[in-house]
Amino acid sequence: MGNAVRPQRRAILTGGLAAASAAVLTACSSKSGDVGTAKAANVGAAASSPKAAPRPDSARTAYARLLEGNKRWGSGTLQHPDQDPARRAAVAPEQKPYGVIVSCIDSRVPPELVFDTGIGDLFVIRTGGQVVQPVVVGSVEYGPLTAGSPLIVVLGHQNCGAIKAAYKAIKDDEDLPGNLQSIVEALRPAYQDIAKTKHADPVDAMIRAHANRTAADLRSNASLAPLVKKGDLSVVSAYYSLDTGRVETLTGAPSA
């Protein structure tokens, strides 16, 4: 009798193990399917981004849009609006950016991120120390004259290496190598502006003075001045803090 029971027990145990294995496999398959579905959903979500409000129709609303985006950047609550394939396709035939940003080449100051903007929102011109020479001025003019961009922002920034080097070169009466000296010469007027008075941080004062001077030059530009006079264009000088990520308005905040 004992021998007859053992095969029966083995059969029961074998059947139980088979059933348990099947249950585990079914559960794993179900979980795998759920994970796959979740991943697919996440990919789908990543393929689209929030839609920004309609294009600003004035310098005031354009600058307000930029400052709102900068606030998100500073607080780490980026929305990444209009950065998806749908937006890419929408602006492929034509672009009408609402702003022109003139900024430094510094890798820590990417305007599209600093202002949390999307594809087709901004014309961005970047040079060492945001120096503006004739060919660069042509690029700045392009936005207002061809796309009706109502806003230009000249964006200086904290701890600018180009301006720091230019300040030292001018102060020590030294030349920088190669074409770097052309940047120094373009920044000399800002140095002369701040040399008239004492400053706790003369380099920072020079950064701000240069942004203000560049904005003033653009406002009086032969092609842009008529637009400024009519109220169709505002030229703002601003300062970006590397420490906080926030943008400070210096001059030219638009009122219309």
Side-chain angles (χ1 to χ4, degrees):
M1 183 174 178
N3 291 337
V5 171
R6 288 193 186 96
Q8 188 176 9
R9 285 179 178 171
R10 281 198 296 270
I12 292 171
L13 289 172
T14 302
L17 287 172
S21 298
V24 170
L25 288 172
T26 300
C28 288
S29 175
S30 175
K31 288 180 180 177
S32 176
D34 291 344
V35 171
T37 301
K39 285 183 177 178
N42 287 337
V43 169
S48 62
S49 64
K51 301 302 175 188
R55 180 183 187 269
D57 59 0
S58 69
R60 182 181 59 80
T61 55
Y63 194 52
R65 173 83 63 87
L66 292 183
L67 292 182
E68 287 169 6
N70 176 247
K71 185 177 180 180
R72 294 193 298 271
W73 165 258
S75 64
T77 55
L78 291 170
Q79 292 181 357
H80 303 292
D82 286 336
Q83 295 183 13
D84 55 18
R87 174 65 170 179
R88 184 182 67 220
V91 298
E94 181 184 24
Q95 62 170 338
K96 290 198 70 175
Y98 60 81
V100 179
I101 309 297
V102 183
S103 67
C104 184
I105 60 172
D106 196 294
S107 63
R108 300 164 294 180
V109 192
E112 293 90 343
L113 291 179
V114 166
F115 293 112
D116 194 21
T117 56
I119 300 170
D121 286 341
L122 301 175
F123 287 114
V124 177
I125 300 104
R126 303 181 69 175
T127 66
Q130 71 271 358
V131 164
V132 175
Q133 300 287 18
V135 67
V136 178
V137 173
S139 296
V140 176
E141 292 172 346
Y142 185 84
L145 298 182
T146 68
S149 304
L151 177 69
I152 297 171
V153 177
V154 179
L155 186 64
H157 70 91
Q158 176 188 12
N159 199 24
C160 178
I163 293 181
K164 185 185 295 184
Y167 175 84
K168 184 177 185 304
I170 297 170
K171 183 173 179 291
D172 297 343
D173 195 22
E174 296 176 349
D175 286 348
L176 295 186
N179 288 308
L180 292 176
Q181 186 59 28
S182 65
I183 297 178
V184 173
E185 295 307 322
L187 292 169
R188 191 178 293 275
Y191 177 89
Q192 293 169 341
D193 287 343
I194 62 106
K196 299 170 185 176
T197 56
K198 287 187 177 181
H199 299 275
D201 186 340
V203 172
D204 196 70
M206 185 171 166
I207 291 167
R208 294 167 182 269
H210 176 59
N212 291 341
R213 175 177 278 274
T214 302
D217 288 345
L218 290 173
R219 290 186 202 109
S220 62
N221 169 279
S223 298
L224 301 177
L227 296 175
V228 173
K229 186 175 181 179
K230 287 170 56 181
D232 293 336
L233 175 68
S234 288
V235 183
V236 177
S237 63
Y239 176 93
Y240 174 72
S241 168
L242 296 177
D243 292 332
T244 66
R246 298 303 299 273
V247 169
E248 170 192 350
T249 303
L250 299 178
T251 67
S255 57

